[in-house]
Amino acid sequence: MFRRVLVYSAVEIAVALHIPEMIVGLFALAIGTSLAELVVAANSARKHMCSLSLGTVLGSNIFNILIGIGVPSLFVKIPVEALSIVLDAPVLIVLTVIVMYFMWTRYGA
């Protein structure tokens, strides 16, 4: 029930503020799927278990991308907006490289 209220409220807010529903949907999806990982990451970081924290965040994001986009794309054609190719993909790649740099150098310890 809470999820329905969240979805309907998000759609109404998007319509009222003239924000594309896709943007609000992605934001709500990101929050909904990441809250559990945030709690685990915060608790493990507080206990100085940084590897668990990092593994939880990265593993969750990889899983969400593969399941959210990969599996449906096996059955239907998924349209990709040009903005996603021009902006989102390069930002994702750059941030991944930055995180990997910090993981493999003394700055990550």
Side-chain angles (χ1 to χ4, degrees):
M1 172 151 159
F2 176 73
R3 291 181 184 163
R4 286 185 184 188
V5 171
L6 177 68
V7 170
Y8 291 137
S9 299
V11 169
E12 291 300 321
I13 290 170
V15 170
L17 296 176
H18 303 291
I19 299 172
E21 292 178 16
M22 183 178 123
I23 300 296
V24 175
L26 289 174
F27 184 71
L29 178 67
I31 289 173
T33 59
S34 299
L35 281 179
E37 287 82 13
L38 177 64
V39 170
V40 170
N43 284 334
S44 60
R46 202 168 32 98
K47 295 175 183 176
H48 302 289
M49 300 170 68
C50 297
S51 296
L52 176 63
S53 178
L54 188 61
T56 299
V57 171
L58 292 178
S60 163
N61 287 327
I62 291 169
F63 181 80
N64 286 342
I65 290 171
L66 288 177
I67 295 301
I69 299 291
V71 172
S73 69
L74 293 173
F75 303 106
V76 296
K77 184 178 178 183
I78 297 177
V80 178
E81 293 185 22
L83 183 62
S84 293
I85 295 171
V86 174
L87 180 66
D88 296 345
V91 168
L92 179 64
I93 291 168
V94 168
L95 289 176
T96 301
V97 169
I98 291 170
V99 167
M100 290 174 70
Y101 170 76
F102 283 114
M103 285 173 53
W104 291 331
T105 63
R106 62 187 172 102
Y107 298 112

